[in-house]
Amino acid sequence: MLLAAAGCTTPSLFYQPPPPPEMLGTKVDQLMQTQEENAEASKFVIYQHEFELNKSREGEMGRGIRLNEYGEDHVQANRRKRP
């Protein structure tokens, strides 16, 4: 009986109450901000589909690869965005 009474009156040293609930949308806002930052960074990536095989004027295959029209436009747009 003495142990039961002592256990009820002394505060527990190991129990910590959970944090208060966060406002609705807090986690979603953080996730959306991260997604937006990642999307901004991906604008400066040049992808494989923006390249083509280098062709000579006669239509023969040359050596190497080069940017296609879309790739050139993408690089020009990135150049204009740089500070």
Side-chain angles (χ1 to χ4, degrees), residues 1-76:
M1 177 109 161
L2 181 61
L3 293 175
C8 293
T9 58
T10 58
S12 175
L13 300 175
F14 301 106
Y15 175 75
Q16 294 181 359
E22 296 180 11
M23 293 182 60
L24 290 177
T26 302
K27 297 293 182 187
V28 174
D29 289 344
Q30 292 172 357
L31 177 66
M32 296 303 279
Q33 180 67 30
T34 302
Q35 292 289 340
E36 186 176 336
E37 290 169 2
N38 290 341
E40 285 295 320
S42 71
K43 290 179 183 177
F44 296 99
V45 175
I46 300 174
Y47 293 97
Q48 185 175 0
H49 68 271
E50 297 177 322
F51 290 91
E52 65 185 6
L53 291 175
N54 200 10
K55 295 181 182 177
S56 66
R57 292 183 186 158
E58 293 81 30
E60 298 174 8
M61 291 298 204
R63 290 188 170 182
I65 58 173
R66 65 181 219 56
L67 288 170
N68 60 20
E69 288 182 36
Y70 180 76
E72 290 176 7
D73 290 343
H74 188 185
V75 169
Q76 291 296 328

